[in-house]
Amino acid sequence: MIECEYQQTASLHMIADTYGIKEQSRQCTEELGECIVAINKLHRARKYGTKKKRKKWRKRLIGEIADVLIMLMQMIYLLDCQEEVEAEVDRKIDRQINKMRYTGMIQ
């Protein structure tokens, strides 16, 4: 779904190689935490906030999602697991669709 152009991919690899797995795994957990906070803030803004607050937290969440994707792409590269991740994604999507069919949520 999300694909990088060659230059972006080369840049991500250069960043990952420069910092290494230890630093980038720590950075990844930090970015995941910030994304969780932004998700919760957006939910709160949707329930109790103004349109301005909802817009603010939606924009912030988009930025955090981008940060997480960047870090996960680096982790996949550093762990050399692209094919394994793709296979696991396919398996999990198929499993969820089957659960939804079984419970009658979809046909």
Side-chain angles (χ1 to χ4, degrees):
M1 213 164 35
I2 301 281
E3 292 186 26
C4 290
E5 293 187 21
Y6 175 77
Q7 183 59 42
Q8 290 173 316
T9 300
S11 295
L12 280 173
H13 292 181
M14 183 174 62
I15 293 165
D17 288 335
T18 299
Y19 289 102
I21 188 73
K22 187 175 180 180
E23 286 303 314
Q24 292 311 79
S25 62
R26 287 183 181 150
Q27 186 65 35
C28 187
T29 59
E30 182 179 322
E31 298 299 348
L32 288 163
E34 291 172 3
C35 190
I36 290 167
V37 170
I39 290 168
N40 286 330
K41 296 280 188 174
L42 179 59
H43 281 298
R44 194 172 299 130
R46 284 186 167 173
K47 188 169 185 177
Y48 304 110
T50 63
K51 186 175 182 179
K52 185 177 178 180
K53 285 267 189 194
R54 288 190 297 273
K55 189 174 180 179
K56 169 190 165 184
W57 283 105
R58 182 181 183 278
K59 184 176 181 179
R60 195 154 310 166
L61 177 55
I62 290 167
E64 295 303 338
I65 290 169
D67 289 342
V68 167
L69 281 171
I70 290 165
M71 295 312 303
L72 291 176
M73 286 186 279
Q74 289 181 62
M75 295 300 294
I76 289 167
Y77 165 72
L78 288 166
L79 294 170
D80 190 25
C81 62
Q82 180 71 38
E83 289 179 13
E84 294 161 281
V85 169
E86 288 174 1
E88 193 66 10
V89 166
D90 289 343
R91 187 186 70 75
K92 289 183 178 234
I93 290 170
D94 289 345
R95 182 183 68 192
Q96 184 61 36
I97 293 295
N98 288 333
K99 283 181 185 178
M100 293 167 70
R101 282 191 181 117
Y102 179 77
T103 60
M105 293 175 72
I106 62 171
Q107 293 185 4

